Amino acid sequence: MCVCVLYFAKSVELTGVKEEIVAVPTPISSRDVWRLLLQRHQRLSVLQDQVVLAVRQQYVAVGDQVVTLADGDEVAVVPPLSGG
């Protein structure tokens, strides 16, 4: 199954892309989604323990939680945002 991964803020700089299609197994935990993305883009490791994922526009902490993904779902990589 394939999902569309959207990158925001610092994650765009680190990956060099704003979005990409990624094949993922199912079922999968949010931690395993993150590991899969780290394999594709090792530079994302600087965001380890700071990033959250959004699946179908719902925030999901990176952890052991199983996420239910369907073909074509959007998964966003949301690093910490700064500003004022």
Side-chain angles (χ1 to χ4, degrees):
M1 156 187 23
C2 293
V3 297
C4 180
V5 179
L6 307 174
Y7 296 96
F8 293 95
K10 183 75 172 173
S11 65
V12 173
E13 292 176 37
L14 296 170
T15 63
V17 296
K18 290 185 178 182
E19 67 179 66
E20 64 182 339
I21 303 299
V22 177
V24 295
T26 187
I28 189 167
S29 71
S30 57
R31 177 174 286 121
D32 288 339
V33 171
W34 177 244
R35 287 180 182 148
L36 183 68
L37 297 176
L38 283 175
Q39 289 174 358
R40 296 175 68 90
H41 303 285
Q42 294 176 354
R43 293 179 63 200
L44 286 173
S45 64
V46 301
L47 299 177
Q48 189 75 35
D49 301 322
Q50 300 174 13
V51 72
V52 295
L53 302 177
V55 176
R56 294 180 306 278
Q57 301 180 358
Q58 297 291 319
Y59 287 118
V60 177
V62 175
D64 294 327
Q65 175 182 351
V66 173
V67 290
T68 304
L69 297 172
D71 200 43
D73 274 353
E74 287 184 348
V75 176
V77 176
V78 185
L81 302 175
S82 62

